Amino acid sequence: MEDSNTSANPSIHALSDPARRTLLRGGAAAAFLAPLAGIGSLGALSGCASTGEAAGSAAAPLLGFKSVPVGTADTVVVPEGYSVQVIAPWGAPVGLSGEMPAFKPDASNSAAEQEAQFGMHHDGIHFFAQNGSTSGLLAMNHEYVDSGLLFKDGMANWSAEKVRKAQAAHGVSICEVEQKNGQWAVVLPSPWARRITARTPMRVSGPAAGHALMRTAADAAGRQVLGTLNNCASGITPWGTYLTCEENFINYFKGPDTPDAHQKRWGLKKGDGGYRWAEHDARFDAAQHPNEINRFGWVVEIDPANPSSVPVKRSALGRAAHEGATVALTRDQRAVVYMGEDSRFEYIYKFVSRDAMRPGGASANAELLDHGTLYVARFDADGRGQWLPLLHGQGPLGAANGFADQGEVVIKSRQASDLLGATKMDRPEWIAVDAAGWVYCTLTNNSSRGAAGLPGVDAANPRANNTMGHIIRWKEEGDHDGLRFAWNHFVLAGDPANERAEAQGQVKGDALGCPDGLWVDRRGVLWVQTDMSTSAMGKGDLKGLGNNQMLAADVRSGELRRFLVGPVGCEITGATATPDGRTMFINIQHPGESASELSDPAAPTKNSSWPDRDPAGRPRSATVVIRKNDGGVIGS
């Protein structure tokens, strides 16, 4: 886990009030909610899932299923009355006309074949309806690869072909899916099918486009980048596009013998980061091409309805180890993008567009995310907070501190946030917005919190050796473009069976650890997915939590109820649904992953054979379709 924030800015101004360490229950203490006084209700948010009466009335219970137990089986477990179906596994054809190579269980598919197949390690996902709730497009991310599974002989006999295949297994897949007779399937072929990889040409827009720090030998103009990678969480826009986010990109680069201060702040170290791409693709050698690292770490906008469109890296949203990008609209229709950066002691950001969204879809809003203001969050100890603008020429963000212009500010957003005194968080990941205006962010964990020489506990991050993680939430003052907000903790994750008090948490309902994925459905249910690492799963504070899971939360009462448990070694990630709420799609990432995150190519099914159950095959990330047997709404 990348950890490079050595800035001297304080993490927060004081330790946490004990009241703020407890779960927000429906009738929380007045003192706990005091900072929210005077912040009016935002009402339904245009462009966001509407929760209707679920946002605050005492209507029928949101959660109508019986909780499933903690489990360690190599399968997907859902409540009684539900069924699961697997589609779109790694290596299956995505549906490109004339290019539909079948998956070879021995991993002998070529790089060219992988370019026409679903990538590896599925992550963020969204369903774009085309015909109501019976057909549409799925856009999904492919975060990284396990070379022990991707190649017959793992990383032995390393070659340019292997690098190209690994690059092809990254990025984004877009496929068409349809439902017939209660079963979903990928449409083969489909005019909408598309693979976007680490080699796909992309345009750079916004203040970093053409900047000197973006120019390379292959791109003297600094406006076109080859590829996207480490695509983690995602987002959608109200104008119909998909946002994919480049997370831990620095691990793909080979660092020079002595990285400079800028490279160090972004986590670059001497030598190869483990992927070995630089051996056969020189642009990933930072000693030869030092600016190439600046061309990754962006939010990329893709139009799934236009397969010939060029993906765009939206630099106005800032550079970061981006986990996700969640879009809300202000009442005057300006776009607000909330973003977390999944690294220890990094920051939470938001971008507010200058202009309002226009009718007409993607083409009418092609530049909406290129103009606006980027902010970073400061969470104060009194339960309030402030958004600090990352604007060139304001405060410390001038030439004297190494910022020549706004392009340099967004390229060096970490350094800018350091100078502004933003709050160092415990790995901020997915963000979700509900119809009442609450913004939720998962803080997965941070075992380094409080360690010698590192930031101690603070109000927003109140636990040392934070192995369990928590979910923080806030409400803006006025509207989503507000400069101030009030915040509290929705839940401190944990297991009451733990001996260590700091790992017991404050959970109303089922125990959980390491919350990661977040999604609010149309009824107002907050779905929470966990990502306990395979190196820690089943050990220490996580010993009683089994495999990773997905829970449903009723935000009115604070109850968390376990809905799904995944197969061995997997992460549960990504959630989306059809408009009628009767079909849910989630992703199972890296089933069978080992503690080292690199499988033994001689024994690929040692830990898992999900989903194929082929002893001669290998585990495969895949999309899981969840339906209620009686045809009802998921979770009801």
Side-chain angles (χ1 to χ4, degrees):
M1 177 54 60
E2 190 259 313
D3 177 4
S4 59
N5 193 347
T6 59
S7 65
N9 63 301
S11 297
I12 204 88
H13 305 97
L15 298 182
S16 176
D17 184 328
R20 191 158 278 104
R21 298 191 187 197
T22 61
L23 167 73
L24 178 65
R25 295 182 171 88
F32 189 80
L33 287 175
L36 300 178
I39 294 183
S41 171
L42 298 181
L45 300 174
S46 301
C48 298
S50 173
T51 61
E53 74 278 3
S57 75
L62 284 181
L63 310 181
F65 60 91
K66 182 180 178 181
S67 176
V68 300
V70 167
T72 58
D74 190 29
T75 191
V76 175
V77 178
V78 290
E80 180 181 350
Y82 286 81
S83 298
V84 298
Q85 177 195 356
V86 176
I87 64 171
W90 157 52
V94 75
L96 302 177
S97 181
E99 299 180 75
M100 290 187 287
F103 175 71
K104 296 177 181 178
D106 65 354
S108 60
N109 285 107
S110 67
E113 289 173 330
Q114 179 63 74
E115 290 173 349
Q117 298 170 322
F118 286 98
M120 212 173 201
H121 287 15
H122 300 27
D123 209 308
I125 187 172
H126 186 70
F127 177 78
F128 293 87
Q130 287 186 314
N131 183 25
S133 294
T134 60
S135 68
L137 305 180
L138 280 179
M140 71 178 76
N141 291 347
H142 303 293
E143 186 179 5
Y144 62 108
V145 299
D146 180 342
S147 293
L149 298 178
L150 186 62
F151 308 111
K152 294 180 69 172
D153 57 353
M155 300 191 81
N157 303 303
W158 199 242
S159 65
E161 167 71 8
K162 285 190 171 183
V163 170
R164 183 181 169 191
K165 183 177 180 182
Q167 293 175 339
H170 283 72
V172 175
S173 291
I174 298 171
C175 66
E176 182 181 1
V177 292
E178 64 179 0
Q179 179 195 8
K180 290 184 178 180
N181 301 319
Q183 294 290 301
W184 285 82
V186 175
V187 177
L188 301 174
S190 169
W192 311 103
R194 187 176 187 185
R195 275 305 323 278
I196 295 166
T197 74
R199 298 170 61 88
T200 301
M202 308 199 168
R203 182 169 63 87
V204 181
S205 70
H211 196 277
L213 291 171
M214 298 287 283
R215 299 171 191 163
T216 65
D219 177 25
R223 294 179 178 274
Q224 186 180 75
V225 178
L226 278 184
T228 184
L229 47 80
N230 213 257
N231 304 82
C232 196
S234 58
I236 58 167
T237 67
W239 51 93
T241 58
Y242 183 72
L243 303 178
T244 184
C245 302
E246 299 175 336
E247 193 190 15
N248 296 310
F249 61 90
I250 205 69
N251 298 325
Y252 296 83
F253 288 88
K254 179 182 178 181
D257 289 343
T258 306
D260 62 30
H262 171 58
Q263 292 171 333
K264 286 181 179 179
R265 183 61 187 88
W266 288 89
L268 187 65
K269 299 177 181 179
K270 176 183 176 180
D272 190 81
Y275 285 93
R276 299 178 61 185
W277 288 8
E279 295 178 29
H280 297 283
D281 190 341
R283 64 192 173 113
F284 290 97
D285 186 336
Q288 295 185 52
H289 303 284
N291 282 352
E292 191 70 23
I293 66 167
N294 299 329
R295 293 150 65 87
F296 292 90
W298 304 103
V299 175
V300 183
E301 185 173 16
I302 300 168
D303 183 0
N306 183 359
S308 63
S309 61
V310 177
V312 182
K313 297 198 175 193
R314 299 291 184 188
S315 71
L317 276 61
R319 181 165 164 262
H322 279 293
E323 175 73 20
T326 300
V327 183
L329 289 178
T330 60
R331 286 187 286 270
D332 63 2
Q333 301 294 287
R334 283 175 296 133
V336 177
V337 187
Y338 291 102
M339 299 164 284
E341 180 167 22
D342 180 16
S343 293
R344 295 186 183 116
F345 305 115
E346 295 299 345
Y347 305 118
I348 294 174
Y349 297 91
K350 81 171 179 182
F351 169 84
V352 180
S353 71
R354 181 191 67 189
D355 304 320
M357 182 182 72
R358 300 175 180 175
S363 60
N365 295 282
E367 298 181 358
L368 186 60
L369 297 182
D370 290 338
H371 307 285
T373 303
L374 180 66
Y375 300 88
V376 65
R378 189 186 74 204
F379 291 81
D380 296 332
D382 62 358
R384 297 182 184 274
Q386 186 170 342
W387 290 105
L388 311 172
L390 279 75
L391 288 174
H392 179 256
Q394 287 197 15
L397 306 185
N401 287 315
F403 299 98
D405 48 35
Q406 185 63 21
E408 192 154 4
V409 170
V410 296
I411 292 169
K412 297 180 177 179
S413 55
R414 283 186 176 179
Q415 295 97 314
S417 299
D418 294 343
L419 289 171
L420 292 174
T423 302
K424 300 177 180 180
M425 306 298 288
D426 284 350
R427 295 183 55 197
E429 301 227 35
W430 291 65
I431 294 177
V433 183
D434 74 14
W438 286 101
V439 185
Y440 300 79
C441 179
T442 49
L443 299 160
T444 290
N445 58 46
N446 186 355
S447 58
S448 295
R449 175 73 63 177
L454 294 173
V457 298
D458 59 43
N461 306 277
R463 293 186 288 182
N465 186 22
N466 181 14
T467 58
M468 308 305 286
H470 53 288
I471 300 176
I472 200 167
R473 72 175 198 167
W474 63 90
K475 183 175 278 192
E476 307 282 11
E477 188 174 90
D479 205 342
H480 280 297
D481 63 340
L483 298 181
R484 297 190 60 81
F485 57 89
W487 67 269
N488 53 44
H489 292 120
F490 178 64
V491 66
L492 301 183
D495 183 350
N498 280 329
E499 295 179 5
R500 193 169 69 92
E502 289 289 287
Q504 292 173 358
Q506 295 284 346
V507 183
K508 182 180 179 181
D510 291 328
L512 76 158
C514 308
D516 188 343
L518 274 186
W519 177 62
V520 177
D521 72 15
R522 288 174 177 265
R523 296 192 307 124
V525 177
L526 177 67
W527 295 90
V528 181
Q529 300 167 320
T530 70
D531 182 17
M532 300 177 287
S533 70
T534 47
S535 61
M537 195 181 299
K539 305 173 184 176
D541 294 336
L542 304 177
K543 63 181 179 295
L545 294 180
N547 297 344
N548 277 308
Q549 56 186 274
M550 180 169 72
L551 306 94
D554 184 337
V555 298
R556 303 169 304 178
S557 66
E559 180 190 0
L560 282 152
R561 194 177 299 183
R562 190 178 301 107
F563 178 83
L564 178 148
V565 175
V568 171
C570 82
E571 173 188 348
I572 309 297
T573 183
T576 186
T578 53
D580 62 9
R582 299 175 190 275
T583 299
M584 176 185 279
F585 304 91
I586 68 162
N587 279 328
I588 302 294
Q589 186 185 104
H590 61 65
E593 183 176 74
S594 67
S596 69
E597 300 185 7
L598 182 64
S599 295
D600 179 357
T605 59
K606 176 182 178 180
N607 298 321
S608 173
S609 60
W610 189 91
D612 296 344
R613 307 301 183 200
D614 181 357
R618 52 204 61 231
R620 303 163 72 186
S621 297
T623 299
V624 168
V625 182
I626 304 169
R627 289 178 57 81
K628 203 171 183 181
N629 295 342
D630 64 5
V633 173
I634 304 297
S636 64

